[in-house]
Amino acid sequence: MEWFLECSPVLQALMASMITWGVTALGALIVCFFRNINQKVLDTLLGFSAGVMIAASFWSLLSPSIELSKQLGYIEWLCPALGFLAGGIFVVLADLFLDKTLEKKNNIKTSSMKRSILLVLAVTLHNIPEGMAVGVAFGGVGNNIPGASIISALLLTLGIAMQNFPEGAAVSLPLRREGYNRKKSFFYGQASGIVEPIAAVIGAVAAICIQSILPFLLAFSAGAMIGVVSAELIPESIKNSKNLASLGIIIGFITMMILDVALG
């Protein structure tokens, strides 16, 4: 662990996001063994991941953003509020773009292929703010901002990695059902997470080099994560097993809260 602590925040963010990408690949690997996975297990896991990410968005991102705004002499609520709003709007606009594109898919002859591409694109797009959140969290630790710690950044990484497992499966399994072979289904499933290391490095560099906008970046990442949770994870998890998903959300939130407060 000591060697990891001695690495630069950018390298830490890269290694952490490589783990989240690796977990995406593990989820996608399920396609090599099954064509389907128990829906109740998926719903509970998605709910748990949603709870973890909701808690992480506050303790690991939004709270440090507020503290740093105060330290920099800003109006302590303004920059976090604007950043959070911008992050949420980014996810909403991305979803609207995908919805508009999906509406046109029936006019395309290769509708099956188009549907598959859009599925990969949707997950890939949502992985960008998640990767950025990891990078900004480690960059914040490198800047010694109040409320940020290496434990919080690692716990945030854990939360994102946990929800990436069902996410990888959610891409590869439908592709397999569309007729793709196992190798291609796995490839596209894991490829949906490749943007996370890239976004993490960009987020870490920005957080280190431009401290004046770090409160905004932290809050932007928090808003984007809440946007992903509310637009994707929660609706998907409660579709079939509302009670299991709700229980998963509660346990995930409590788990992240305890770990972050106790270890952070």
Side-chain angles (χ1 to χ4, degrees):
M1 185 65 177
E2 287 185 10
W3 67 269
F4 182 80
L5 297 175
E6 292 172 358
C7 293
S8 71
V10 175
L11 186 55
Q12 289 174 341
L14 176 61
M15 289 188 288
S17 58
M18 290 294 287
I19 292 173
T20 63
W21 178 23
V23 175
T24 303
L26 281 177
L29 194 62
I30 284 179
V31 78
C32 296
F33 306 98
F34 309 100
R35 287 195 83 141
N36 294 289
I37 189 170
N38 188 286
Q39 191 61 48
K40 289 184 178 181
V41 173
L42 264 182
D43 291 339
T44 305
L45 189 54
L46 283 172
F48 184 86
S49 301
V52 168
M53 290 175 69
I54 291 169
S57 69
F58 175 75
W59 273 282
S60 299
L61 296 168
L62 197 56
S63 180
S65 171
I66 295 170
E67 289 296 323
L68 183 58
S69 292
K70 186 190 300 183
Q71 186 183 74
L72 292 174
Y74 301 159
I75 299 174
E76 59 186 274
W77 56 265
L78 182 59
C79 200
L82 292 175
F84 191 90
L85 179 64
I89 288 175
F90 171 81
V91 173
V92 170
L93 291 178
D95 275 343
L96 286 174
F97 168 76
L98 290 170
D99 288 343
K100 290 290 184 182
T101 310
L102 280 167
E103 287 176 4
K104 300 175 183 178
K105 75 176 188 300
N106 291 326
N107 298 325
I108 300 171
K109 293 180 181 179
T110 54
S111 59
S112 177
M113 182 180 293
K114 184 65 176 179
R115 197 160 52 241
S116 302
I117 292 172
L118 289 172
L119 176 63
V120 177
L121 176 62
V123 176
T124 301
L125 192 60
H126 289 142
N127 281 337
I128 294 174
E130 293 171 11
M132 183 174 288
V134 172
V136 170
F138 281 99
V141 175
N143 264 331
N144 297 313
I145 66 170
S149 70
I150 195 71
I151 294 296
S152 294
L154 288 171
L155 289 173
L156 174 62
T157 301
L158 175 63
I160 291 174
M162 289 176 62
Q163 69 94 29
N164 277 1
F165 185 85
E167 207 168 69
V171 174
S172 63
L173 291 173
L175 291 180
R176 178 68 176 141
R177 289 195 294 269
E178 288 282 352
Y180 285 72
N181 61 39
R182 287 185 173 89
K183 187 181 293 185
K184 281 189 176 181
S185 299
F186 166 73
F187 174 79
Y188 289 120
Q190 63 82 31
S192 66
I194 199 170
V195 294
E196 288 196 2
I198 299 169
V201 170
I202 294 172
V205 170
I208 293 169
C209 296
I210 318 172
Q211 187 177 20
S212 59
I213 66 167
L214 185 51
F216 181 88
L217 290 176
L218 287 164
F220 179 93
S221 299
M225 283 181 63
I226 292 297
V228 171
V229 168
S230 58
E232 298 295 326
L233 294 186
I234 292 179
E236 184 64 29
S237 66
I238 66 173
K239 193 182 297 183
N240 300 294
S241 308
K242 183 172 68 174
N243 292 333
L244 284 175
S246 299
L247 187 61
I249 292 170
I250 293 168
I251 294 174
F253 187 95
I254 292 172
T255 301
M256 183 65 184
M257 180 185 69
I258 293 173
L259 290 173
D260 208 319
V261 174
L263 300 178

